[in-house]
Amino acid sequence: MDLTGKVNLNELDEKEWESLCDGCGRCCYRKFVTGYGKREKTHYTRVACDLLDLKTGKCIDYENRFKIVPDCRQLTKKNVGKFDWLPETCAYRLLYNKQPLPDWHPLISGRPESVGEAGIMIQNGVHERDVDECDWDDYEIFP
């Protein structure tokens, strides 16, 4: 698989597609939107989906996540361009935009722990079950 940003996402098989995930877990942290139109802004928080293991950045029930979490979204080759809230470091977003993967990405470094070492994982995450939705703005982080 060409990881220089010239990869055709549509040509990846399922195993290759899944391997693009660096395991940072950022997509599993809650976001909220304020404003409308040109003033619309996405706010990122350190409030995580209850299925996210805060230490590993992995879903604890990946196979059943859509049944358990109704608003969990499946990222596919067809919809990746519509997920504009994905982190700027996300391999799916980078390759969709024809950009190379960073040196810390496990497919480049050969080491899954390079994600944490690079400071990509969100620190001090909390599960949504422990925070009222009206208080998410108290947990806002900046991308």
Side-chain angles (χ1 to χ4, degrees), residues 61-79:
D61 197 350
Y62 189 75
E63 296 300 317
N64 296 303
R65 67 194 185 280
F66 302 119
K67 294 175 190 168
I68 300 168
V69 182
D71 63 347
C72 184
R73 298 289 172 249
Q74 184 169 16
L75 184 65
T76 67
K77 298 170 195 174
K78 291 182 181 180
N79 69 14

Side-chain angles (χ1 to χ4, degrees), residues 23-77:
C24 73
R26 286 182 169 220
C27 60
C28 298
Y29 282 83
R30 298 306 186 177
K31 301 138 203 72
F32 63 93
V33 177
T34 58
Y36 182 76
K38 291 181 182 179
R39 295 176 192 233
E40 183 174 288
K41 180 179 178 187
T42 302
H43 300 265
Y44 298 86
T45 75
R46 57 186 180 87
V47 178
C49 168
D50 289 333
L51 293 182
L52 184 69
D53 182 316
L54 300 175
K55 291 183 178 146
T56 67
K58 306 278 188 215
C59 182
I60 61 171
D61 197 350
Y62 189 75
E63 296 300 317
N64 296 303
R65 67 194 185 280
F66 302 119
K67 294 175 190 168
I68 300 168
V69 182
D71 63 347
C72 184
R73 298 289 172 249
Q74 184 169 16
L75 184 65
T76 67
K77 298 170 195 174

